[in-house]
Amino acid sequence: MVEDEGSVRVDSWIWSVRLAKTRALAAAACRAGHVRVNGERAKPAQALKPGDEVRVREEGYERVVVVKRLIRKRVGAGVAAECLVDNSPPRPPRELTPAAGVRDRGTGRPTKRDRRELDQLRRS
């Protein structure tokens, strides 16, 4: 269902164009401050209009898209791609992203000392 007039909720549109897996995750991202519309923090029920810039932050990467058309329902990937203009910078290579803490198999749970060392590594 493609709309040409009116407005659509931010969380619904993010879900419809496949920037979030579920509408609940899209609403949670809005409440957490990970979604900005035209530079301002967006609430889940904020109305979108064609031409608005939407920034969605996810795991150290920010998607920057411009609303081309409004849709309310989730549609196929081809139709969803026509509803936005993706201005996102390229993703950083996997080699540059920080690795998650990997433990050797069979070493058991981390001790208190191990947890402190991991926390110190994450902070620096």
Side-chain angles (χ1 to χ4, degrees):
M1 175 174 175
V2 177
E3 296 283 326
D4 289 328
E5 296 179 24
S7 61
V8 176
R9 290 173 56 113
V10 173
D11 61 344
S12 179
W13 188 82
I14 289 173
W15 168 73
S16 298
V17 296
R18 298 169 179 265
L19 294 178
K21 283 189 174 187
T22 65
R23 184 164 171 201
L25 287 175
C30 290
R31 283 192 299 275
H34 299 301
V35 177
R36 294 187 172 273
V37 175
N38 298 325
E40 301 290 323
R41 281 181 67 170
K43 292 184 179 180
Q46 182 175 335
L48 275 182
K49 302 179 304 289
D52 285 346
E53 180 189 67
V54 179
R55 293 176 174 264
V56 181
R57 200 174 66 216
E58 55 186 39
E59 297 177 9
Y61 175 71
E62 187 173 52
R63 298 281 310 262
V64 181
V65 296
V66 176
V67 179
K68 198 169 168 185
R69 282 195 286 172
L70 299 176
I71 57 174
R72 293 185 202 283
K73 302 276 184 178
R74 194 166 172 108
V75 292
V79 178
E82 295 173 1
C83 296
L84 58 90
V85 178
D86 195 352
N87 296 332
S88 303
R91 284 187 181 266
R94 287 188 182 232
E95 296 83 36
L96 297 179
T97 56
V102 179
R103 294 181 50 83
D104 293 330
R105 201 167 157 83
T107 56
R109 290 178 55 174
T111 63
K112 192 170 194 174
R113 179 186 215 173
D114 294 337
R115 286 195 310 264
R116 285 181 180 151
E117 290 173 358
L118 284 172
D119 288 341
Q120 190 173 16
L121 281 174
R122 288 184 185 136
R123 279 189 231 122
S124 53

